[in-house]
Amino acid sequence: VAQLRECTARFLEVAKGDDVPLFLVGHVTKEGAVAGPRVLEHIVDAVLYLEGERFHAFRILRATKNRFGSTDEVGVFEMGETGLREVADPSEVFLEERAGKQGVPGSVIVPTVEGTRPLLVEVQALVTPTSFGLPRRTVSGADPQRLAVLLAVLAKRAGIALGQHDVYVNLVGGLKVREPAADLAVAVALASALRDRAADPRTVFVGELGLGGELRRVQRVAARLKEAQRLGFTRAIVPQASLPDLNGTAMEVVGVASLREALTRSGIADS
């Protein structure tokens, strides 16, 4: 630790003395934090994470510390033959393979927020009867622990039991979404896959689910729906408590109070 602190302090003297930028490149732990003593983060001016899956072309540059600016902005880049290039409209890129397609069971769009930037991401779910005693739960891009909670809420509050089914959830494009606002989209995608009923492809879903099956208010819902409207979506299902935050949107906005009501209004569950 002492050696690392001393070396970083010497680098700091060179950078400040010669007025040049200096990058220290390291790796992260399994939990996603900077490997090694945290004292390194206190010495430097900015801490940047370049995130992305190995087999996906997209990378997200995220700042967790910045002495000279905001940490709320994220940059989205795509790896090409000549290196990384900026993705000016990431929502459109994440949904480009979906354009012009009819609704598919298990496919739902969620307007999420990365930093201060709203992004539209496709949530895909696949549900199949299990062939073994213990059903599988495979998740890519979402929190596996949160998925377990959503499966329990679906079974107890909406009457959609998946205890005898293998469940697969994927966020298209390699993006990782951890915010609770994606709860409703994941739950609707799972119900859609089980019932083999497609949700309206022009509808977006956003909302946090409570253990009682209620839908809770989410932040920045107006910015999320504005991005969805720009990309041609015409309808949104949001928590009832979020309706006062919407002013003058041209979309058809449906406020719902519970998961069961959301499934009914989306046409996946019978009224």
Side-chain angles (χ1 to χ4, degrees):
V1 176
Q3 183 182 28
L4 180 63
R5 183 191 298 112
E6 179 65 21
C7 291
T8 306
R10 297 288 183 91
F11 282 129
L12 182 64
E13 291 178 5
V14 173
K16 300 292 186 181
D18 295 343
D19 195 23
V20 295
L22 193 147
F23 290 87
L24 299 178
V25 182
H27 63 280
V28 297
T29 63
K30 292 181 179 179
E31 290 75 24
V34 174
R38 297 299 293 266
V39 67
L40 184 64
E41 296 189 28
H42 298 297
I43 297 176
V44 299
D45 293 321
V47 180
L48 307 176
Y49 286 82
L50 188 62
E51 305 171 354
E53 297 292 336
R54 177 182 302 178
F55 301 109
H56 289 88
F58 299 108
R59 303 290 185 269
I60 294 180
L61 185 66
R62 189 191 312 272
T64 59
K65 175 186 177 181
N66 188 357
R67 284 190 176 137
F68 307 107
S70 172
T71 58
D72 293 330
E73 297 292 341
V74 296
V76 181
F77 301 87
E78 184 177 13
M79 179 62 74
E81 295 181 355
T82 58
L84 287 174
R85 66 175 183 86
E86 181 186 3
V87 177
D89 194 347
S91 293
E92 188 173 3
V93 172
F94 288 139
L95 300 179
E96 61 182 357
E97 295 183 7
R98 182 185 170 91
K101 291 185 177 180
Q102 299 297 320
V104 177
S107 176
V108 170
I109 300 299
V110 54
T112 184
V113 172
E114 283 289 333
T116 61
R117 173 181 292 183
L119 298 177
L120 266 66
V121 183
E122 181 181 0
V123 178
Q124 293 182 338
L126 181 64
V127 176
T128 60
T130 183
S131 301
F132 306 98
L134 185 65
R136 298 187 60 182
R137 275 79 175 103
T138 303
V139 187
S140 176
D143 184 4
Q145 300 299 324
R146 192 62 184 171
L147 175 63
V149 173
L150 296 180
L151 291 174
V153 174
L154 276 168
K156 187 69 175 180
R157 306 303 180 187
I160 298 178
L162 295 166
Q164 302 299 320
H165 293 78
D166 294 334
V167 173
Y168 306 89
V169 175
N170 176 50
L171 270 66
V172 176
L175 194 66
K176 295 181 180 179
V177 176
R178 294 291 187 263
E179 65 165 345
D183 287 353
L184 178 59
V186 175
V188 171
L190 290 168
S192 171
L194 178 66
R195 297 287 176 83
D196 200 26
R197 296 182 183 179
D200 182 5
R202 297 167 299 175
T203 300
V204 296
F205 298 83
V206 58
E208 178 184 354
L209 276 177
L211 294 183
E214 76 278 8
L215 278 176
R216 298 181 179 274
R217 180 179 178 180
V218 298
Q219 300 296 321
R220 303 192 61 208
V221 65
R224 299 171 193 263
L225 298 193
K226 182 178 179 180
E227 178 73 2
Q229 182 181 342
R230 185 182 69 83
L231 291 175
F233 291 89
T234 59
R235 188 167 179 258
I237 294 182
V238 303
Q240 187 78 33
S242 294
L243 291 181
D245 299 334
L246 299 173
N247 294 315
T249 178
M251 299 181 67
E252 177 191 354
V253 180
V254 180
V256 294
S258 66
L259 173 60
R260 186 182 293 272
E261 184 181 358
L263 295 176
T264 301
R265 298 296 294 271
S266 62
I268 295 174
D270 298 326
S271 57

